[in-house]
Amino acid sequence: MSDSGEHVLVDWPIAVYEELTSLEVSQVSFVPDAGLTQLINLCNADPAIHTIPLTSEEEGIALSAGAWLGGVRSAVLMQSSGVGNIVNMLSLSRTCRFPLFILVTMRGESGEVNEWQVPMGKGAPTILDVSGVNVRRAEKEDQVARLVGQAARTAFTCGKREAVLISQSVIGVKSFNK
Amino acid sequence: MEPVLNRRDVVAELLSNRGEAAAIVGLGACVWDAAASGDHPLNFGLWGAMGGAVPMGLGLALAQPRRRIYVITGDGEMLMGLGSLATVIVKRPHNLAIAVIDNEKYGETGMQRTHTAYGVDLSSVALGMGFSVARQVNHSEELRASLKTWQESSGPVFLNIKVKADPLPLVLPPRNGVYLRDRFVKALKSND
Ligand SMILES: Cc1ncc(C[n+]2csc(CCOP(=O)(O)OP(=O)(O)O)c2C)c(N)n1
Ligand SMILES: [Mg+2]
């Protein structure tokens, strides 16, 4: 997002999309975040992927479990506030040891101008951690796809619950033209 | 109008002649009903994850498009995940059929009244969401008339089935999540 609120095309979404397709992820669910726009568009344009908008992020956790039961790999995309919506549903993944891969774009961090994003920006990593989800952090753009590949591979092949958090310094700040 | 249907009979009917269908069963008394009708490796009974039965069924239905996928859940469980009905409509899986066993109570937690006891009509909700079939079932004739729809109609199908709120004996299926998961996947692979 540029200062004027316009989207600036960046490279990490393409690399992440390629990681996910190479791992044969065929269900991608999300509640949108501005920072996820490009990745969502890439998935939407791919007929081999079911791209599924959710009304609340917890649906994505249950969806991913059902997909895995049916032999299909899934990824759930959300902004940091969405982490607050998934907490109880994570007990499904954890109790049944379902593989789970979550990609989180962080808000409420460096330069945030919307105070309402700060609580979950602060809370998301700890909440995921205490809910049994392993957290990896991408602080720089060139780390994102590599971490996604590592985390998703671990999730699907070792049956783990993994999240990659993309720092706001990578995503940029939503300015509201102020 | 007082409900007349017995939930054990209803769930047994829904799971009869199931062929290769797989079922996600929402937490609460539906899990005991499904167990009473006979434990089955393709029944995945939830012991938690309230609100998750429908989205879990959706993920499974999209992953297994040639198999009928049932979601059988309580009114309270459905009310916690109403938004997931809208998410179902985005994908319109033809193989997904959802039945709410509506006793108008949170049965499992002491029979407190749910929103359906105050007039919330879940079949109208599903109709408004855009389900291919969405109907309320009150009597055994209506249930019998809906069975073919449940088993075969192009979905997504939604039945809200009004049942008596009598407390029934517990019939407990396995609750170990990893066991439920592994036997489900094995059974799925063996008749793929
Ligand atoms: C998030 C969450 N809140 C509350 C509960 C407690 N709880 C367990 S079962 C249940 C009621 C289920 O009611 P319903 O789906 O109508 O099932 P019934 O037993 O009536 O068939 C509740 C509230 C829970 N397990 N999880
Ligand atoms: Mg109930």
Side-chain angles (χ1 to χ4, degrees), chain B residues 1-6 9-11 13-14 98-104 121-124 133-150 157-164:
Chain B
M1 185 176 45
E2 280 294 306
V4 294
L5 287 169
N6 173 299
D9 299 342
V10 169
V11 172
E13 286 275 10
L14 293 175
I98 300 167
V100 174
I101 306 303
D102 182 5
N103 59 359
E104 305 188 351
D121 174 353
L122 292 175
S123 59
S124 298
V133 180
R135 68 171 76 129
Q136 181 157 304
V137 172
N138 298 299
H139 301 288
S140 51
E141 307 81 66
E142 286 170 350
L143 180 63
R144 223 166 299 130
S146 295
L147 279 180
K148 213 172 153 63
T149 302
W150 168 253
V157 167
F158 184 96
L159 303 179
N160 192 65
I161 307 176
K162 291 285 182 184
V163 299
K164 293 186 285 189

Side-chain angles (χ1 to χ4, degrees), chain A residues 19 32 54 97 99 133 137 151 153 159 161:
Chain A
E19 285 289 345
L54 308 164
R97 318 275 195 282
V133 180
R137 240 314 167 166
R153 199 164 283 110
R161 289 139 300 282

